[in-house]
Amino acid sequence: NAFLAGRAWHYPKRLNVELMNEAAQFFVGKHDFSAFMAQGSNVSTTVREVIYADVERVGEEIIFRVAADGFLYNMVRIIVGTLVEVAYGRFEPEDIKLILQSKDRQNAGRTAPAEGLYLNKVNY
């Protein structure tokens, strides 16, 4: 869709949304998200609580929604990149637990591009 150019990540392969959503559930809860943070970030703690995370297909689009008490630098983009890699078999959904436990960025998937990343709401 030409109207989505630069506004959504066009991924050329069909993705298994069910596997992505299964994997997304492992992010829910309070975890150390060091493995899902870009290098060079200066924060006092890498522990965040994800309230919900879900993936759904709406027509030809795949929508990932996540709510948390805070986000680390590139955290959502790295989560999305990892979920895409679950969808085509590099990781199993259960691997998310191991990646979180490792606290090592090199164990997570690639960083998804910023196209399609939108802040929907901020609560105080």
Side-chain angles (χ1 to χ4, degrees), residues 84-100:
V84 166
E85 293 188 32
V86 166
Y88 67 82
R90 178 174 175 217
F91 299 118
E92 294 295 322
E94 300 81 23
D95 291 339
I96 299 303
K97 290 188 292 188
L98 300 173
I99 296 168
L100 284 164

Side-chain angles (χ1 to χ4, degrees), residues 5 18 22 32 37 48-49 69 83 89 94 107 109 119 122 124:
E18 291 77 23
E22 183 182 337
D32 185 326
M37 177 181 72
R48 299 291 186 269
E49 183 173 7
D69 63 357
L83 291 175
E94 300 81 23
N107 292 330
L119 176 64
V122 177
Y124 289 97

Side-chain angles (χ1 to χ4, degrees), residues 3 28 102 114-115:
F3 294 109
V28 176
S102 77
E115 290 88 356

Side-chain angles (χ1 to χ4, degrees), residues 15-121:
L15 297 173
N16 185 327
V17 174
E18 291 77 23
L19 274 180
M20 293 173 75
N21 192 51
E22 183 182 337
Q25 301 319 300
F26 289 101
F27 292 109
V28 176
K30 192 175 246 182
H31 305 286
D32 185 326
F33 280 90
S34 297
F36 294 90
M37 177 181 72
Q39 297 294 325
S41 185
N42 186 16
V43 293
S44 59
T45 180
T46 53
V47 174
R48 299 291 186 269
E49 183 173 7
V50 171
I51 290 93
Y52 69 83
D54 63 64
V55 182
E56 69 174 325
R57 183 179 300 280
V58 178
E60 287 300 309
E61 295 179 10
I62 296 173
I63 310 295
F64 171 64
R65 291 182 184 88
V66 60
D69 63 357
F71 296 100
L72 301 169
Y73 185 62
N74 281 346
M75 178 176 151
V76 174
R77 291 175 57 195
I78 297 167
I79 287 173
V80 170
T82 303
L83 291 175
V84 166
E85 293 188 32
V86 166
Y88 67 82
R90 178 174 175 217
F91 299 118
E92 294 295 322
E94 300 81 23
D95 291 339
I96 299 303
K97 290 188 292 188
L98 300 173
I99 296 168
L100 284 164
Q101 291 169 358
S102 77
K103 301 177 187 176
D104 186 347
R105 172 65 186 98
Q106 292 183 343
N107 292 330
R110 63 181 160 178
T111 304
E115 290 88 356
L117 176 64
Y118 297 95
L119 176 64
N120 185 31
K121 186 190 303 185

